[in-house]
Amino acid sequence: MDTELALYTFGLGENYRIQDYFGVHETVRDGQKGFVFRVWAPNAEAVFLIGDFTDWLSQKLKMTRNQAGVWEVFTDLPHEGDIYKYLVRRQGGQEVEKLDPLAIRFENRPGTGAIVKPLKSKKWKDSLWMARRKRLGFKERPVSIYEVHANSWKKDQDGKPYQFKELKEHLIPYLKEMHYTHVEFLPLMSHPLGMSWGYQVMAYFGFETTYGSPEDFQDFVEACHANNIGVILDWVPGHFTQNDDALAYYDGTPTYEYEDYHRAHNYSWGVLNFDLGKNQVQSYLISSALYWIETFHIDGIRVDAVSNMLYLDYDQGPWQPNSEGGNHNLEAIAFLRKLIQAIKKDHPDVMMIAEEATSDIPITKSIAEGGLGFDYKWNMGWMNDILKFYEMDPFDRKYHFNLVTFSFMYCFNENYILPFSHDEVVHGKKSLMHKMWGDRYNQFAGLRTLLTYQICHPGKKLLFMGSEFGQFLEWKHDDQLVWSNLEDEMNSKMLVFTSLLNQFYLDHNMLWQDDYTYDGIDIIDADNAQETILSFTRKNKKGDFILCVFNMTPVERRGFSIGVPQEGIYEEIWNTELESFGGVWKEHNPITESQKESWRDYQTTLTFTLPALGASIWKIKKRK
């Protein structure tokens, strides 16, 4: 793209490859090899390039400004590996050292200097995966996501977190062993402080140096694809770190943030909000999303904190109604639609996910239908309700059974992912295991039943690391998971359980082929609050079904009968109380023949023993 077109489309908010123009690029001018540096700082009095090659402030290189507010300099002084920054002279004369918003590499924290080192084009070896992704998509496929914070999954003997070179060797075999279809990482973009978990980004093209190099991550993704594992990234287009050496008030005036002080400042999180109505910001953010998708072959983007983007009154600070008198952020709505359209135009098979907790604006409906066009939305209501229910004493659960059943009233209003995420196992909320009621035995029984319920409920699945083996301690961002838990037999059996549960999910297309309509589920009994038992069938497109029954109290129900849709001989194919899982049952329920007997709207019943605080799943072995 030539300079004139690059600047013109950047100003229109329609340049979706700005990294090809901005940042640092190796080039030749007048026969001289060197590097050209470009940065957008429209209201700066002056901008200088400084770095190792200028002895920093000793020989700073003055840049020239063009009509679009972009500063540029060509120099043959830098060498590959040199560190650089921009020295921005703000209105009034104050000079501030700033990072390069388009840099792809940075020095180690706490430094924020960018590194002169282009990312060479990779010869990818994942064409089979990419072709299959394009052909099969994800809507009618199983999606079971393992959510990972790269800095705290595992550390070496010296206490140093695994980088992606090590994660390639250790995490990928683990994902295969656990039968996950996807891995999702908390943000990997450059951020100044690990305590933010990556959610306070300082540069949207930079790969966080803590995790290794961009090339290491490319190799990791390629290896994931070779093992039939998709990779999803968290991405934060709503807000950014307010550190003065990053994007904040870049040229001394509101550049990336809103001009209105209160709209610019996010008081709850101590960050700055992007001005999503500004064309240049739109070009910057959409280019960032596409950069990660195209440069790293990413299979999905989870957009963080969408509610904060959509509602003017979401934060704790003062707010002003929009031009229509409401609380919707009209610029953010337009931006998100533009983002989805730009990505889907070239990458319709990339999964777009919204972390959003309200119901006012349709998230996964098409743009033509008035929605935002996302593929999935996190089902925060389901997650909050079911965790509140499972934290209760079982004696009280019959009075709050609506927490379990309410989701069936709205579970197809959007296309959902069911998340048990990092946010639920930190800041005093306790681990998923620790939330469960009762003694240690009953906590494991409750966790097994909870995860089975997640697998059987309509919607794609997500589980944060550590929950798969019942880690008791809360997640800590600066410590590795408590892998020593696996020396305990109960934790070890929990790990086996989760692995086999994920495999069970993959093997039964009734659980994932139709996650979007009532055609994929029949509720048998959602009214048995007294015994706190829920039952339903999940169906595939051929009409084959499995029967899912959940006993949510620690009382074994012998001679339990339930209506079933077809006569036949039934076989129990899943029981959370097997000894091999940590329970007390030595074997499954026996193969059982249905009986001709009226039960509500059903003319056929099935009678069996329902395990205490357990789940029992059946299929027809032989039809009558």
Side-chain angles (χ1 to χ4, degrees):
M1 185 181 295
D2 62 43
T3 296
E4 186 175 341
L5 182 59
L7 291 173
Y8 177 69
T9 53
F10 175 64
L12 289 179
E14 296 176 359
N15 185 338
Y16 302 152
R17 304 291 189 283
I18 69 169
Q19 68 273 15
D20 295 340
Y21 178 74
F22 291 91
V24 56
H25 295 278
E26 196 168 8
T27 188
V28 176
R29 286 193 180 177
D30 299 327
Q32 180 66 50
K33 285 186 178 181
F35 294 89
V36 61
F37 294 78
R38 299 187 185 98
V39 64
W40 179 57
N43 295 311
E45 284 190 355
V47 179
F48 303 89
L49 176 65
I50 57 175
D52 293 336
F53 46 87
T54 69
D55 196 18
W56 292 93
L57 296 178
S58 300
Q59 305 171 42
K60 55 189 181 184
L61 301 176
K62 189 170 184 178
M63 305 176 75
T64 57
R65 182 189 187 280
N66 64 27
Q67 72 279 7
V70 177
W71 299 80
E72 177 178 326
V73 66
F74 171 81
T75 173
D76 61 356
L77 294 177
H79 296 88
E80 190 170 293
D82 282 349
I83 298 172
Y84 72 95
K85 287 186 178 183
Y86 297 117
L87 182 67
V88 178
R89 181 181 297 161
R90 294 170 166 174
Q91 297 291 326
Q94 180 194 26
E95 293 187 345
V96 180
E97 292 185 12
K98 287 286 193 177
L99 56 73
D100 182 353
L102 272 294
I104 61 173
R105 307 174 199 268
F106 287 90
E107 61 182 324
N108 292 331
R109 293 197 298 240
T112 57
I115 299 175
V116 179
K117 188 177 181 181
L119 182 61
K120 296 179 180 177
S121 179
K122 177 178 173 63
K123 293 182 179 179
W124 286 85
K125 301 175 183 177
D126 62 349
S127 57
L128 183 61
W129 166 270
M130 298 297 279
R132 188 163 56 240
R133 188 183 84 179
K134 185 175 182 179
R135 185 176 74 255
L136 298 177
F138 46 80
K139 290 289 179 74
E140 296 180 5
R141 301 295 302 162
V143 175
S144 179
I145 304 167
Y146 186 60
E147 188 188 31
V148 173
H149 178 241
N151 198 54
S152 58
W153 184 71
K154 189 172 282 189
K155 301 191 177 185
D156 62 22
Q157 292 181 343
D158 298 325
K160 184 179 177 181
Y162 280 1
Q163 295 187 338
F164 271 95
K165 280 185 178 179
E166 291 84 14
L167 289 173
K168 176 183 172 184
E169 302 302 320
H170 296 273
L171 177 56
I172 293 176
Y174 186 77
L175 293 167
K176 284 189 66 180
E177 177 188 342
M178 296 303 295
H179 303 294
Y180 285 104
T181 65
H182 293 75
V183 59
E184 177 178 327
F185 290 102
L186 276 59
L188 302 180
M189 299 82 195
S190 299
H191 51 280
L193 187 64
M195 287 181 65
S196 77
W197 314 335
Y199 289 102
Q200 293 195 11
V201 180
M202 67 182 190
Y204 279 72
F205 294 78
F207 184 78
E208 175 51 52
T209 308
T210 306
Y211 306 141
S213 71
E215 291 87 352
D216 293 340
F217 185 55
Q218 286 180 322
D219 291 344
F220 174 87
V221 174
E222 184 176 68
C224 278
H225 290 172
N227 288 279
N228 295 318
I229 298 165
V231 181
I232 301 169
L233 290 189
D234 281 13
W235 182 64
V236 193
H239 57 269
F240 56 95
T241 181
Q242 62 181 347
N243 290 25
D244 200 40
D245 56 354
L247 300 182
Y249 294 95
Y250 197 85
D251 61 12
T253 67
T255 309
Y256 291 90
E257 56 275 277
Y258 288 103
E259 288 190 20
D260 180 277
Y261 183 86
H262 294 304
R263 290 193 72 184
H265 285 76
N266 189 306
Y267 295 97
S268 300
W269 299 335
V271 292
L272 292 169
N273 295 320
F274 277 110
D275 181 351
L276 298 174
K278 186 177 288 186
N279 291 343
Q280 293 88 344
V281 171
Q282 293 174 9
S283 288
Y284 180 73
L285 290 173
I286 295 174
S287 293
S288 167
L290 286 167
Y291 167 78
W292 289 94
I293 290 168
E294 294 171 353
T295 305
F296 299 97
H297 285 203
I298 295 304
D299 303 288
I301 297 284
R302 174 216 179 241
V303 181
D304 180 66
V306 172
S307 298
N308 180 67
M309 300 168 70
L310 294 180
Y311 299 100
L312 298 169
D313 57 348
Y314 191 80
D315 193 19
Q316 298 175 354
W319 67 282
Q320 295 291 327
N322 62 31
S323 58
E324 300 173 355
N327 68 337
H328 291 174
N329 184 337
L330 302 179
E331 299 98 327
I333 293 171
F335 164 76
L336 288 170
R337 288 172 173 161
K338 187 175 184 177
L339 167 73
I340 297 298
Q341 287 175 322
I343 290 174
K344 290 297 183 179
K345 179 179 180 292
D346 294 333
H347 307 284
D349 51 342
V350 167
M351 195 184 304
M352 293 302 295
I353 305 164
E355 189 238 351
E356 209 278 325
T358 69
S359 58
D360 195 28
I361 298 173
I363 303 299
T364 60
K365 291 193 182 305
S366 70
I367 295 171
E369 295 174 302
L372 298 184
F374 280 89
D375 296 301
Y376 295 109
K377 170 183 176 177
W378 274 21
N379 195 335
M380 311 291 277
W382 173 87
M383 177 271 298
N384 282 308
D385 284 350
I386 200 65
L387 289 182
K388 183 178 180 181
F389 181 83
Y390 266 85
E391 288 184 78
M392 288 181 181
D393 188 304
F395 178 82
D396 296 320
R397 291 179 183 178
K398 59 188 175 184
Y399 304 113
H400 302 278
F401 200 45
N402 63 304
L403 290 172
V404 176
T405 60
F406 180 61
S407 64
F408 294 113
M409 303 296 290
Y410 68 85
C411 63
F412 303 115
N413 290 354
E414 302 268 13
N415 300 334
Y416 284 116
I417 287 177
L418 308 178
F420 291 136
S421 75
H422 63 280
D423 277 328
E424 310 318 314
V425 295
V426 74
H427 296 328
K429 295 180 184 178
K430 301 186 292 189
S431 68
L432 212 57
M433 169 68 175
H434 196 184
K435 293 177 193 287
M436 299 297 102
W437 164 86
D439 59 16
R440 184 165 171 79
Y441 174 84
N442 280 297
Q443 284 184 320
F444 274 107
L447 184 58
R448 292 193 300 269
T449 307
L450 175 65
L451 295 186
T452 302
Y453 181 58
Q454 180 196 31
I455 287 292
C456 292
H457 192 287
K460 307 307 184 185
K461 328 297 176 185
L462 179 142
L463 187 68
F464 184 61
M465 63 183 199
S467 299
E468 74 275 15
F469 60 83
Q471 176 171 310
F472 188 80
L473 294 178
E474 272 192 349
W475 168 57
K476 298 179 181 178
H477 74 275
D478 52 355
D479 289 342
Q480 69 172 347
L481 296 181
V482 188
W483 294 104
S484 58
N485 279 177
L486 292 174
E487 297 170 10
D488 183 284
E489 183 182 17
M490 291 297 286
N491 291 101
S492 179
K493 286 184 175 182
M494 186 70 210
L495 186 71
V496 170
F497 169 86
T498 306
S499 173
L500 293 177
L501 179 64
N502 285 338
Q503 183 65 62
F504 181 86
Y505 171 65
L506 298 178
D507 290 342
H508 293 85
N509 63 2
M510 305 86 167
L511 295 173
W512 43 261
Q513 199 172 74
D514 191 346
D515 272 329
Y516 313 107
T517 73
Y518 286 105
D519 292 339
I521 186 170
D522 275 331
I523 306 297
I524 294 177
D525 189 5
D527 299 318
N528 192 351
Q530 187 62 36
E531 292 182 307
T532 325
I533 296 173
L534 173 69
S535 54
F536 54 83
T537 63
R538 290 300 308 275
K539 301 180 294 180
N540 64 18
K541 293 186 179 297
K542 293 181 179 180
D544 300 326
F545 69 91
I546 57 175
L547 170 68
C548 308
V549 188
F550 298 88
N551 181 7
M552 297 172 177
T553 59
V555 179
E556 185 174 277
R557 308 287 182 182
R558 297 189 178 186
F560 177 80
S561 294
I562 195 74
V564 292
Q566 289 184 13
E567 290 184 71
I569 297 173
Y570 282 74
E571 176 185 16
E572 186 182 61
I573 54 175
W574 190 259
N575 187 317
T576 58
E577 275 298 291
L578 294 179
E579 272 189 349
S580 57
F581 295 158
V584 295
W585 284 43
K586 295 186 180 300
E587 58 186 10
H588 280 283
N589 270 294
I591 291 173
T592 303
E593 185 173 354
S594 64
Q595 300 296 313
K596 281 192 173 183
E597 185 177 343
S598 179
W599 191 95
R600 296 191 179 180
D601 295 333
Y602 297 89
Q603 303 306 311
T604 306
T605 62
L606 188 70
T607 301
F608 57 94
T609 299
L610 186 57
L613 202 58
S616 177
I617 302 178
W618 297 73
K619 73 174 182 179
I620 289 184
K621 184 177 179 67
K622 184 178 181 181
R623 298 177 188 273
K624 276 194 174 182

